[in-house]
């Protein structure tokens, strides 16, 4: 098992790193903001992100987290000048982090 093809999910599980999932997420951000998936840009960004992960983790036993991959997507969007798309992507991440935290708090209350 090579760690360059793996990613650590928020729940701690290790799964295959899927460039297609990155492309899909980036296309979704483009669609939300520009009503166009920008397929070429989305694919190029996913390539850039997977290459950056491979470089960063080459020769290590470490596995990147979902958050690290998302941070790289944000940076790539901004480097390509898609600031509104990056902003939407960042807001989406923030809102979903809040939802996850609220759900976690609900579980804690139920346990208590």
């Amino acid at each position: 098992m090579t760690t360059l093809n793996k990613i650590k999910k928020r729940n701690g599980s290790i799964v295959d790193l899927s460039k297609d999932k990155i492309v899909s997420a980036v296309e979704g951000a483009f669609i939300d903001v520009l009503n166009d998936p920008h397929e070429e840009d989305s694919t190029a960004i996913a390539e850039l992100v997977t290459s950056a992960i491979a470089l960063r983790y080459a020769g290590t036993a470490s596995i990147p987290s979902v958050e690290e991959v998302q941070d790289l997507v944000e940076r790539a969007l901004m480097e390509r000048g898609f600031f509104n798309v990056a902003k939407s992507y960042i807001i989406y991440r923030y809102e979903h982090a809040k939802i996850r935290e609220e759900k976690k708090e609900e579980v804690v209350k139920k346990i208590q």
Side-chain angles (χ1 to χ4, degrees), residues 2-6 17 46-62 64 68 72:
T2 173
T3 60
L4 295 179
N5 299 337
K6 301 294 178 185
L17 175 61
E47 291 280 350
L48 186 68
V49 167
T50 53
S51 295
I53 289 293
L55 282 173
R56 184 178 293 175
Y57 288 89
T60 72
S62 298
E68 289 176 90
L72 289 169

Side-chain angles (χ1 to χ4, degrees), residues 72-86:
L72 289 169
V73 168
E74 288 174 12
R75 188 173 305 129
L77 284 165
M78 289 185 274
E79 287 173 354
R80 289 175 158 263
F82 295 110
F83 298 105
N84 287 342
V85 178

Side-chain angles (χ1 to χ4, degrees), residues 1 6 11-12 20 28 36 59 73 75 86 110:
M1 169 178 96
K6 301 294 178 185
N11 67 7
D20 291 340
D36 182 323
V73 168
R75 188 173 305 129
K110 286 179 183 178

